[in-house]
Amino acid sequence: MRHKYRLALLVFLCVFVGAAVYNLGYMSVQWDEMPHLYGGLLLNRGQIWEYMTTYGYYPPIFDLVTTGFFSVFGVNEISGRLVALVFSVLAVWILFEFTKRVYSVKTALIASVLLGTMPGFFWLSRVAMIETMLIFFFTLTMFAFYTWLFKSNNCRALVFAGLSLGIGVLAKYQIVVAALAMFFCILFLTRKRFKINLGKFLLIGVIAVLVVAPWFLAIYHYNGMTKFETLQYVMSEGGQDRPAYSNRFQPLPVFYLVEMAWPFNDIAVHPISLPILILGLCGLGLFAYRRSKQDIFFLTWFLVVYAFFTLIPNRQWRYVTPLFPILAIATACFILFLYREIQKWNPSQTGIKKTRLKKFVATAFIALFIGAVAYSGYNAYEMTVRDQIHIPVKEATAYMVGNMTQDQSAVLVCSFNLLNQDMFRFYLPPNMSSEQIWQYPALAVDAFTPDFDITEFMDLCVERNVKYVILYDFGVHTKFFNTTLDYTQVRQMLYETGRFNDAQERPFWGEYHGWYGYRIFLIRFTG
């Protein structure tokens, strides 16, 4: 009975992991997964130079852990996705320990369940992306900092916060915003000892810099200054090439309030379920009303992260995932606050006995809460099923490997989020060069305006000795980004040249569903 809440957390995590690993390898790989899957593959093969010159601008921790998982579980997308799942479990666990220390074990359990059932968090637990690692290290850093701030003699917590922040930067560069949140917490919560605590706080920065410095020196060693422009691009969450997405909700100060709960275009799914978001915002309002040191700490965390990513030109819900733990804590605090108010409620005399009325209201409140969590879990299911499609990249690659020589190549026409050159390169054997698979145009047609020049394309096919052109069922008349061009027009251009076909070899893989297919076609370039 002493450990019943921790046991309940363990049961929840077992259910969470079971749901997350179900059919984990079926979902087609996302574009943003490939830097980590293919990067981990290069490290696993000992191709350090290729890794540094290809993906040396990304933070390395996720790739290094992925390499370890590849060594244990084999090289496949499931192994890479298990890294994200492990850190999502660690994120839920550290949130439990943090909230238990600050508020209560009941609050901790509720907050952990709320975080685990958030649709965006659950979806991120099933893809080889760095956000769950970001959430873990961000929460761990703030936990260590909180321990030091309110237990001033605990120097170990101060050092641990610096180490955690440094490793977190190597997980995702944008975690540096945690340093800004810590500074404002010192300013708001320890004004009388501001100078003393600020001096000690600088130790966190020094330790973090010492942890991060070797990585930047390695980038310079392998790439000189050439990768630092790309590094700046990554640290700013991209460049000005995505303004349409980033500015679609106005005014900008409320962008993320809408973004976190706005349904996707094709299905009513939110990264955070709308009832949970509303309760979380009410919890933040409760923090502002009570203004205890714990409440101010979490409120400052929320406001600093929110403001920081609002000011960055490019905006997307995955950038503000460090807010997810705060919203989970705030929701849990608000729920327990309302429940305690109901317990203290003393209704006036009515035809129904007071005790029975209070029990009825309390039961209704608990039912509403369970319903909100269940709805959030259902949203997580919907968001996951939305991407449960399988594109046969592995099968197509195996065919090309068996039918191409070392001096031949294959070109992917019109790459997009679910299909790019690195996805095919991931399945190439070590004896084949990654340059044997390439794409045209160079950028994704669903995110950048494509410039498809058929003359240039044929010249490149001749220059690179192309044997196969890789086509995909992108959608019969689905327009590419910011253009009237579609896949049907591209296929027509290829057909009209008379140089792309071989009646004796027209392999394809996959199935067709409704208006969209998940099929890959290979056609021969006849020269």
Side-chain angles (χ1 to χ4, degrees):
M1 292 300 292
R2 287 178 54 229
H3 302 288
K4 60 182 179 181
Y5 291 100
R6 200 173 294 278
L7 180 60
L9 175 68
L10 179 61
V11 171
F12 171 75
L13 286 176
C14 289
V15 174
F16 176 86
V17 170
V21 299
Y22 178 73
N23 228 1
L24 188 60
Y26 182 79
M27 184 180 76
S28 290
V29 177
Q30 307 278 314
W31 186 296
D32 288 344
E33 291 185 90
M34 286 318 301
H36 312 297
L37 292 175
Y38 189 54
L41 174 63
L42 292 175
L43 289 174
N44 184 260
R45 291 176 176 173
Q47 297 174 273
I48 307 300
W49 182 271
E50 290 83 351
Y51 172 77
M52 292 300 299
T53 54
T54 304
Y55 292 122
Y57 51 87
Y58 278 103
I61 293 296
F62 195 100
D63 300 350
L64 291 171
V65 179
T66 301
T67 303
F69 275 61
F70 282 170
S71 300
V72 176
F73 301 109
V75 179
N76 53 66
E77 59 270 27
I78 296 177
S79 300
R81 289 169 175 172
L82 285 177
V83 177
L85 177 57
V86 167
F87 277 92
S88 67
V89 171
L90 291 174
V92 173
W93 169 72
I94 200 66
L95 178 68
F96 177 86
E97 298 297 337
F98 193 1
T99 311
K100 175 177 172 288
R101 178 76 62 89
V102 177
Y103 290 109
S104 69
V105 68
K106 287 183 181 179
T107 309
L109 180 61
I110 294 174
S112 300
V113 172
L114 289 168
L115 178 63
T117 54
M118 286 181 179
F121 182 82
F122 183 80
W123 183 85
L124 289 168
S125 302
R126 290 174 49 85
V127 292
M129 298 182 190
I130 56 182
E131 276 71 26
T132 58
M133 188 177 280
L134 167 66
I135 294 171
F136 170 72
F137 280 110
F138 203 112
T139 307
L140 182 63
T141 300
M142 296 302 287
F143 186 11
F145 173 74
Y146 179 90
T147 302
W148 167 74
L149 189 63
F150 296 109
K151 294 185 178 181
S152 300
N153 295 325
N154 195 337
C155 293
R156 285 182 300 178
L158 186 68
V159 173
F160 190 81
L163 292 172
S164 178
L165 179 62
I167 298 173
V169 170
L170 297 179
K172 189 167 185 177
Y173 299 129
Q174 291 77 12
I175 201 177
V176 294
V177 70
L180 191 60
M182 289 187 280
F183 170 79
F184 279 103
C185 285
I186 292 174
L187 178 62
F188 295 150
L189 294 169
T190 62
R191 292 181 182 178
K192 294 180 180 179
R193 296 175 49 86
F194 177 72
K195 291 184 178 179
I196 298 174
N197 285 338
L198 184 61
K200 294 180 179 179
F201 168 70
L202 293 177
L203 179 61
I204 294 178
V206 171
I207 295 172
V209 169
L210 291 175
V211 172
V212 172
W215 170 244
F216 287 97
L217 290 174
I219 293 175
Y220 181 78
H221 171 74
Y222 284 97
N223 299 285
M225 295 299 295
T226 58
K227 285 292 182 185
F228 279 93
E229 289 185 6
T230 311
L231 185 67
Q232 183 181 3
Y233 175 91
V234 172
M235 293 180 71
S236 63
E237 301 286 14
Q240 291 292 337
D241 43 50
R242 289 178 284 183
Y245 184 92
S246 299
N247 298 312
R248 70 195 187 284
F249 299 139
Q250 299 289 342
L252 290 181
V254 302
F255 176 89
Y256 280 114
L257 293 181
V258 181
E259 167 79 356
M260 285 189 286
W262 189 259
F264 289 94
N265 291 332
D266 55 345
I267 192 170
V269 172
H270 330 278
I272 297 179
S273 179
L274 186 58
I276 301 301
L277 178 63
I278 293 173
L279 290 172
L281 295 177
C282 290
L284 293 173
L286 177 65
F287 289 170
Y289 173 75
R290 295 191 309 198
R291 293 193 298 277
S292 69
K293 62 181 182 181
Q294 298 93 333
D295 296 337
I296 294 175
F297 180 88
F298 288 115
L299 188 60
T300 302
W301 176 349
F302 180 90
L303 293 175
V304 169
V305 173
Y306 188 95
F308 180 86
F309 286 102
T310 296
L311 294 174
I312 288 179
N314 286 296
R315 302 169 190 87
Q316 212 258 10
W317 69 267
R318 280 167 39 205
Y319 304 161
V320 294
T321 48
L323 297 182
F324 285 22
I326 299 300
L327 289 170
I329 294 171
T331 302
C333 287
F334 186 68
I335 288 170
L336 289 176
F337 168 78
L338 290 180
Y339 186 76
R340 285 192 294 268
E341 291 300 308
I342 291 174
Q343 293 296 98
K344 293 188 295 184
W345 179 43
N346 187 22
S348 58
Q349 287 288 349
T350 64
I352 305 175
K353 292 183 178 180
K354 292 183 180 181
T355 304
R356 187 175 299 176
L357 179 59
K358 288 182 64 174
K359 286 183 177 179
F360 174 78
V361 173
T363 303
F365 174 78
I366 293 172
L368 287 173
F369 165 66
I370 294 175
V373 173
Y375 179 70
S376 182
Y378 180 68
N379 276 176
Y381 165 78
E382 287 184 297
M383 189 171 182
T384 303
V385 168
R386 171 178 176 265
D387 289 325
Q388 280 297 100
I389 62 174
H390 178 71
I391 300 175
V393 178
K394 185 176 182 179
E395 295 87 336
T397 306
Y399 181 88
M400 290 187 290
V401 167
N403 292 274
M404 283 169 51
T405 61
Q406 294 289 337
D407 63 338
Q408 292 177 322
S409 71
V411 55
L412 170 64
V413 174
C414 300
S415 62
F416 69 109
N417 184 48
L418 296 180
L419 206 63
N420 72 0
Q421 59 189 11
D422 285 348
M423 296 177 190
F424 291 91
R425 291 172 175 177
F426 182 69
Y427 295 107
L428 289 178
N431 65 327
M432 291 189 69
S433 169
S434 62
E435 298 303 314
Q436 289 184 254
I437 306 289
W438 54 288
Q439 62 193 32
Y440 183 89
L443 301 176
V445 298
D446 61 341
F448 300 89
T449 304
D451 180 16
F452 195 96
D453 185 328
I454 188 63
T455 302
E456 179 189 48
F457 179 65
M458 287 193 298
D459 290 342
L460 288 172
C461 287
V462 173
E463 177 185 331
R464 305 187 71 161
N465 194 21
V466 165
K467 182 173 184 179
Y468 295 113
V469 176
I470 306 168
L471 299 177
Y472 174 72
D473 276 328
F474 187 77
V476 179
H477 297 296
T478 302
K479 305 300 181 185
F480 298 149
F481 181 79
N482 200 28
T483 182
T484 58
L485 187 67
D486 59 32
Y487 223 112
T488 301
Q489 296 174 48
V490 169
R491 287 199 299 266
Q492 184 64 25
M493 283 190 280
L494 295 176
Y495 174 77
E496 290 175 352
T497 66
R499 300 171 67 180
F500 296 94
N501 198 7
D502 184 347
Q504 303 302 316
E505 188 177 16
R506 295 174 176 173
F508 73 92
W509 299 264
E511 300 175 353
Y512 193 77
H513 298 275
W515 292 101
Y516 291 91
Y518 308 135
R519 296 181 295 180
I520 290 178
F521 301 84
L522 298 184
I523 61 174
R524 287 286 298 272
F525 176 59
T526 56

